[in-house]
Amino acid sequence: LSRLINMKSTDTTRAPIQGNGLAEVVAATTRLSDVAGEQGRLVLAGYPAEDLAGRVPFEDAMFLLFRGALPTAPERAWVQDALGDAREAAFERMDELGDALALPDAMDALRASVAHLTAVPGDEPLTEAARIVGAIAVFATAWGRGTSRVPPNARLPHAADYLRMTSTRAPSPAEVAALDAYLVTVIDHGMNASTFAARVVASTASDTVSAVVAGIGALKGKLHGGAPGPVLDMLDAIGEPEAARAWLSETLCRRERIMGMGHRIYRVRDPRAFVLERALAQLEAASTARSLIGHRLRLARAVEKEAEIQLAAHHPERPLKANVEFYTAVLLEAVGLPRTQFTPTFASSRAAGWCAHVEEQRRFGRLIRPRSRYTESRR
Ligand code: COA
């Protein structure tokens, strides 16, 4: 037996081990998005993210991922209707979710609710994605509302209805535009952890809903999609720009991470931070709550600047700059979302990316099955 173990372990001992979080591994080819970490560039199916966000609605970005081109007006209307119908269908079947939406954590509730969906055999990929994305919008906005859930209006654009279902007040067009810009910005982002998780599930020939549930599980973590709530907690704790230096210094001395800073791929500021700042500036210009948004933005910029300086001192070997979550926190707060809903809102857009990757994985991929190197643990 020991000879057998030795023989078996030989090939994994010789193989180069990718223990470093798979940082250098290219795990798939994709036409969906390209993340250029040194240049700070994000391309979504051929378009720089900044050319799409704030310029086309979420429906267009979703169509683009699946069809490789921006939609015509009738095609956009078709996606809008598919999402609207899906929101309506999900709302009508909410009673079947049992206690899923009563779970105390919003992402646990989303994961449990989505797990109730079932795949429809033979569904066309964009139709299936719309069904899942529409349902996620309903589950994400219904959490924490008990019986005072707002039913969807299937004829509205997706971002407008998402905000309408969330707020107790009617959202302004500028708030809808800001949320729409956010949803487009985060729809896809290369082989991030949740997308990889979704692709691994899809690679086993499992169904899309299961892949999306895996994506939600990965997104929940604060190293991935769970950071914007803690970013806002940090801004609240700092309070005023003058307090940033001491607060950040104490946090780093305790060897804690600054949320919203650093990225696995980007070595410069995350390009999505610029896009979200632009959307925020437009929202501020159009808003009656201008001074509130302006105050938050000034604080966020001061904290970012100070965090960059201190992180450079702590980690001269590695640039740690603002990532997407930093301004996600400010934007989602500015459009009126509670911080518990930040990560579910991220999921509500990224689910479209997961579904598109699932489709790609099915068409071109192979079972994802890396190896591990056995190390003797018996003492
Ligand atoms: N604050 C403080 N230190 C940080 C940091 C941060 N935001 N991000 C990375 N570091 C430090 C780590 O502590 C580590 O230091 P060490 O070598 O002394 O232990 C070093 O930088 C490398 O970190 P590592 O975890 O290997 O980098 P990664 O590429 O695996 O991680 C993130 C990338 C995004 C997970 C990381 O930057 C992070 O935790 N950021 C904060 C959470 C966040 O904003 N998540 C949203 C990402 S979009």
Side-chain angles (χ1 to χ4, degrees), residues 16-28 35 37-38 191 196 263-267 317-318:
I17 195 158
Q18 303 290 347
N20 196 18
L22 302 182
E24 304 305 329
V25 175
V26 177
V35 182
E38 300 291 339
M191 192 59 76
F196 185 56
H263 198 271
R264 171 59 67 81
I265 309 288
Y266 293 121
R267 290 294 167 265
E317 78 295 348
R318 167 167 183 168

Side-chain angles (χ1 to χ4, degrees), residues 259-281:
M259 292 295 113
M261 300 295 294
H263 198 271
R264 171 59 67 81
I265 309 288
Y266 293 121
R267 290 294 167 265
V268 292
R269 194 172 189 250
D270 188 329
R272 298 168 297 174
F274 293 101
V275 176
L276 297 184
E277 259 190 310
R278 182 179 73 187
L280 267 162

